[in-house]
Amino acid sequence: GAGVSQSPSNKVTEKGKDVELRCDPISGHTALYWYRQSLGQGLEFLIYFQGNSAPDKSGLPSDRFSAERTGGSVSTLTIQRTQQEDSAVYLCASSHLRGQGVNEKLFFGSGTQLSVL
Amino acid sequence: QKEVEQDPGPLSVPEGAIVSLNCTYSNSAFQYFMWYRQYSRKGPELLMYTYSSGNKEDGRFTAQVDKSSKYISLFIRDSQPSDSATYLCAMMNTGFQKLVFGTGTRLLVSP
């Protein structure tokens, strides 16, 4: 596809259930990011992938959050035993890593709106 | 204290006005400064990118960075209703792979 694709666009779940959020990055982009956006909080970094490895997962809020990336492409963010404070928009972004190692241009998907009741 | 501070607004202006959006930051190691625009129910899109201090102009948009004051600005000339969106500043150290974002300023341009 032409852009970053995320699914589902909306997810309503009950407290305590597990959820999986999917991200399809732009073809050929080696770097993939997950961010979380809550009202009035801006974008909160969660995890960064370079290829299939995650050199920086410092933003994951707790061990209930995990993410993987396979084939250097699709990524899945999993939240176990969801809590109401997990309600937010989860955004995925991809970029092509430049030679000097600085990614200044991230292409974002439209996000998954997660609501935990 | 957050690393990046940004007034959430909303900022309401009439069509044709000059808009000034600003961010302050505390980390003197930031070298790369960006402005993203986010429409409702969409992901952010890169608007302007500046390295270190100085100005950059692109059409109706001008980005300014003052590293001595740890202050960055985005100016929009001849604002249009289609400019109504949330504007997020973002910045990064050299060698780091993640952007640190401000909370975003919501801009409303009325016809």
Side-chain angles (χ1 to χ4, degrees):
Chain A
V4 177
S5 177
Q6 291 188 247
S7 61
S9 55
N10 283 281
K11 177 70 177 179
V12 180
T13 190
E14 294 179 350
K15 178 181 173 181
K17 300 282 190 183
D18 298 351
V19 296
E20 282 190 356
L21 312 180
R22 177 187 168 103
C23 173
D24 280 278
I26 292 172
S27 177
H29 278 189
T30 56
L32 186 146
Y33 305 77
W34 284 98
Y35 281 85
R36 179 167 71 174
Q37 187 173 31
S38 305
L39 276 175
Q41 297 298 315
L43 270 71
E44 175 189 5
F45 170 80
L46 297 178
I47 188 169
Y48 155 65
F49 286 94
Q50 180 55 41
N52 290 338
S53 63
D56 189 350
K57 52 179 77 171
S58 62
L60 294 177
S62 73
D63 58 8
R64 296 187 295 104
F65 288 72
S66 63
E68 65 175 12
R69 189 179 185 194
T70 56
S73 181
V74 172
S75 176
T76 303
L77 177 69
T78 301
I79 309 173
Q80 296 178 310
R81 305 181 302 281
T82 52
Q83 304 294 311
Q84 288 183 334
E85 61 262 28
D86 299 334
S87 296
V89 176
Y90 289 81
L91 289 161
C92 174
S94 71
S95 72
H96 183 68
L97 182 64
R98 298 197 329 180
Q100 59 266 48
V102 174
N103 300 314
E104 77 279 7
K105 187 164 186 174
L106 271 62
F107 294 84
F108 282 86
S110 293
T112 294
Q113 172 72 63
L114 175 65
S115 301
V116 182
L117 304 179
Chain B
Q1 182 187 3
K2 293 182 179 179
E3 276 192 291
V4 180
E5 298 280 356
Q6 185 175 10
D7 188 330
L11 177 62
S12 295
V13 300
E15 183 174 358
I18 297 174
V19 175
S20 173
L21 303 166
N22 312 291
C23 288
T24 59
Y25 62 95
S26 57
N27 188 343
S28 58
F30 286 140
Q31 293 283 349
Y32 297 88
F33 303 92
M34 286 134 268
W35 286 94
Y36 280 79
R37 178 175 62 193
Q38 185 176 23
Y39 290 112
S40 181
R41 301 183 190 282
K42 297 291 186 183
E45 57 178 336
L46 183 66
L47 198 59
M48 298 286 286
Y49 157 74
T50 309
Y51 173 70
S52 194
S53 284
N55 295 357
K56 186 171 186 177
E57 187 173 324
D58 184 1
R60 296 185 295 111
F61 299 89
T62 300
Q64 287 186 351
V65 175
D66 181 349
K67 291 190 69 181
S68 63
S69 301
K70 297 190 181 67
Y71 188 87
I72 70 171
S73 301
L74 177 70
F75 297 96
I76 307 174
R77 291 182 298 280
D78 188 25
S79 57
Q80 302 296 308
S82 59
D83 295 328
S84 297
T86 296
Y87 291 79
L88 301 117
C89 62
M91 42 200 84
M92 182 169 59
N93 292 348
T94 300
F96 283 75
Q97 305 302 326
K98 62 185 180 187
L99 294 179
V100 179
F101 283 85
T103 55
T105 298
R106 187 174 169 215
L107 173 66
L108 303 171
V109 182
S110 54

